[in-house]
């Protein structure tokens, strides 16, 4: 059940099992897959459905966690691969992506990637003291700058903007 506060700001809110949902009376201008595809055994199936739902000039926005983030790299180098309650190695993730494999997933599904942006690492989740002064402003700035400078290492997630290659 989706709270009313989550619906504010949207012209039309739909909550459905996307893999079993039928067609919609009108195509969507934008479809957002925020932290969705990594939870599916076959994300290509959902992307195929989304392609059918998008308007000819529609946009797909996808966020995918970056499994090549330095925290995962350090853990692997130390011989650890532990699932967690949240984050990149969330125990409900069935698929893992890097920037390049995320792009490949979208392109194989018939989308053209227009832009890819890294998100900043939420260091304060691992160390809550970093969310308070005097650390918070400096840590957030460092997180944003490092993600922009070395996105494949310090990007926490990648946000892809894509459109259909063969829009009618």
């Amino acid at each position: 059940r989706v709270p009313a506060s989550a619906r504010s700001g949207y012209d039309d809110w739909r909550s459905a099992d996307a893999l079993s949902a039928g067609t919609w009376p009108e195509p969507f201008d934008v479809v957002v897959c925020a932290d969705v595809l990594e939870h599916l055994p076959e994300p290509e199936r959902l992307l195929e459905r989304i392609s059918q739902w998008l308007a000819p000039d529609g946009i797909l926005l996808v966020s995918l966690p970056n499994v090549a983030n330095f925290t995962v790299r350090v853990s692997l180098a130390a011989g650890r691969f532990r699932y967690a309650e949240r984050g990149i190695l969330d125990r409900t993730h069935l698929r893992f992506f890097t920037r390049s494999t995320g792009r490949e997933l979208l392109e194989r599904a018939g989308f053209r990637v227009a832009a890819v942006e890294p998100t900043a690492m939420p260091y304060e989740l691992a160390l809550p003291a970093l969310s308070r002064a005097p650390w918070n402003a400096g840590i957030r700035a460092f997180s944003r700058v490092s993600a922009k400078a070395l996105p494949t290492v310090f990007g926490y997630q990648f946000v892809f903007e894509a459109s259909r290659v063969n829009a009618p």
Side-chain angles (χ1 to χ4, degrees), residues 62-64 66 99 103 113-120 144 147-148 151-152 155-161:
V62 173
S63 65
L64 293 170
N66 175 23
R99 181 174 63 180
R103 176 184 291 274
V113 175
V116 182
E117 289 291 324
T119 65
R144 283 190 304 274
K148 287 284 188 188
T152 58
Y156 187 64
Q157 292 182 308
F158 292 109
V159 179
F160 296 84
E161 177 185 332

Side-chain angles (χ1 to χ4, degrees), residues 57-142:
D57 59 348
I59 294 174
L60 171 62
L61 298 174
V62 173
S63 65
L64 293 170
N66 175 23
V67 75
N69 178 276
F70 84 96
T71 58
V72 178
R73 292 176 190 229
V74 168
S75 291
L76 288 172
R80 291 188 308 269
F81 186 89
R82 291 198 178 109
Y83 287 96
E85 294 303 315
R86 64 177 188 254
I88 296 169
L89 297 179
D90 179 311
R91 68 182 71 257
T92 64
H93 290 179
L94 301 178
R95 300 285 299 270
F96 297 95
F97 299 94
T98 63
R99 181 174 63 180
S100 64
T101 61
R103 176 184 291 274
E104 288 169 11
L105 171 71
L106 294 170
E107 289 174 347
R108 279 194 321 270
F111 289 91
R112 177 180 297 111
V113 175
V116 182
E117 289 291 324
T119 65
M121 278 287 297
Y123 293 106
E124 64 279 0
L125 292 179
L127 300 168
L130 297 177
S131 66
R132 297 184 295 275
W135 309 107
N136 56 340
I139 290 297
R140 292 309 299 157
F142 170 77

Side-chain angles (χ1 to χ4, degrees), residues 12 17 20 33 35 38 44 46 51 69 77 84 86 111 116-117 133 142-143 166:
D12 185 10
D17 176 348
S20 61
C33 287
D35 304 327
E38 65 272 17
E44 301 84 357
L46 179 58
S51 181
N69 178 276
R86 64 177 188 254
F111 289 91
V116 182
E117 289 291 324
F142 170 77
S143 182
N166 296 319

